[in-house]
Amino acid sequence: MRIDLVLLCLAYVLSQFFRAFLAVLTQVLETDVGATPADLAFASGLWFLVFAAMQIPVGAALDRVGPRRTSAVLLLIGGGGGSALFAMATTPLHITVAMGLIGVGCAPVLMASYFIFARMYAPARFATLAALMLGFGSVGNLIAAYPTAWAAETIGWRATLWVLAAISSSIAVGLWALVQDPPKANGTEKGSVLDLLKIPALWLLFPLMFVNYMPAAGIRGLWIGPYLSDVFTLTTSEIGQATLVMGVAMICGTFCYGPADRIFGTRKWVIICGSVIGATALTGLAVFTDTSAFRSILLMSVVGFCGAAFPVLIAHARSFFPAHLTGRGVTLMNLFGIGGVGVMQFGSGKLHNAIAPTDSLLAYQALFGLMALCVFAGALIYCFSQDRMD
């Protein structure tokens, strides 16, 4: 693999880390900064919404100035600067602002690599390459689990964030120096996101794209910590181990989804089957919420595995994109995917706050049940989409 793609992969490791590490720091942030689970749900939701909102300008920048400058500048300012701000946080507001800034920094890194794949490699290989990048980058999910819990207990969470600020800044400098922009698309055609929104086939993909990643990211990135702590009284170290298991399941799911469209000759039915299994696991969590910590972790791992259809959904949508709108196309789909998580994080925090004071168990049952309903609905709409291979 080219060195610039390796650097983009490392940057995506950071992106995966930042969307998931709050779950492990739930207890220590509440003690040191006074950040409640609802505060962290808001901060996590802001990360996802800022990340999603940035996809429109990022898509335009990829098409116009290329992935090198787009990824390097935003990661330096957002990733490096946001991590430093987080390290100095003394109130929940500081954490919220820092997470929003980090969302800006993480917004371009995966899409920059997808842009390079779409413009420089055979279309039939896109889903596999996209899944490989997503899978290797998801190591950040693992680092955000037990290793982060260990680092927070060993050197403190503030020192851990200062280290992340230095790493983010160093990778950003490397991206500026080494990323190779692909050649411009042939022709002089111009266009915008509005042209993509005029493609009817995409509208049957948007709903499932909006909800597919929502449960895996929401649970792994935030709710697994409070849930296992409140319902089963697990310690920070035990929660770190549980998040590690779910993170491994998400990575395995990514690698399995990647070549599945070529193996089975269909993208549509691979995605539908995975979505239905994931929604069924969420239903199991809603029903068997407090019966067994082991069963709950197993079901959450199934949700993580089945929620990794992201690269195949992107590949399905990419088959409808005109070449000169590739950057805007992949970032538009990413907007829906990440935006759905942000909306769920905001909503889940409010839902939990409304129910938990009177019935903590019911609050988690409502969360898991709502997530299951959303995935079932998205999959039903997706059933009417056009199955299309490259």
Side-chain angles (χ1 to χ4, degrees), residues 110-111 114 134 209 212 307-315 333-334 337:
L110 181 63
M111 293 301 102
Y114 280 17
L134 192 63
M209 191 70 192
N212 175 261
F310 182 89
V312 187
L313 274 165
I314 292 276
M333 292 300 291
N334 202 30

Side-chain angles (χ1 to χ4, degrees), residues 4 122-123 176 184 207 219 224 357:
D4 55 346
W176 180 271
K184 298 280 187 181
I219 293 172
I224 188 173

Side-chain angles (χ1 to χ4, degrees), residues 71-156:
S71 59
V73 171
L74 292 181
L75 182 61
L76 179 63
I77 296 173
S83 298
L85 178 59
F86 197 121
M88 296 184 288
T90 57
T91 70
L93 177 60
H94 296 158
I95 292 176
T96 299
V97 175
M99 289 299 290
L101 188 56
I102 292 170
V104 171
C106 295
V109 292
L110 181 63
M111 293 301 102
S113 61
Y114 280 17
F115 181 82
I116 293 171
F117 293 152
R119 295 289 295 275
M120 299 187 70
Y121 293 86
R125 298 175 60 194
F126 181 88
T128 300
L129 290 170
L132 286 172
M133 179 63 74
L134 192 63
F136 284 119
S138 295
V139 170
N141 237 323
L142 305 186
I143 299 173
Y146 186 72
T148 300
W150 175 83
E153 293 175 348
T154 304
I155 64 173

Side-chain angles (χ1 to χ4, degrees), residues 194-203 206 320-322:
L194 293 177
D195 296 301
L196 293 168
L197 295 176
K198 294 175 183 177
I199 302 175
L202 293 178
W203 284 95
F206 290 152
F320 299 103
F321 299 155

Side-chain angles (χ1 to χ4, degrees), residues 30 70 82 109 140 146 152 163 188-189 200 232 336 342 352-353:
E30 184 167 10
T70 302
V109 292
Y146 186 72
V163 171
T188 59
E189 292 181 272
F232 299 107
F336 278 92
H352 184 271
N353 268 5

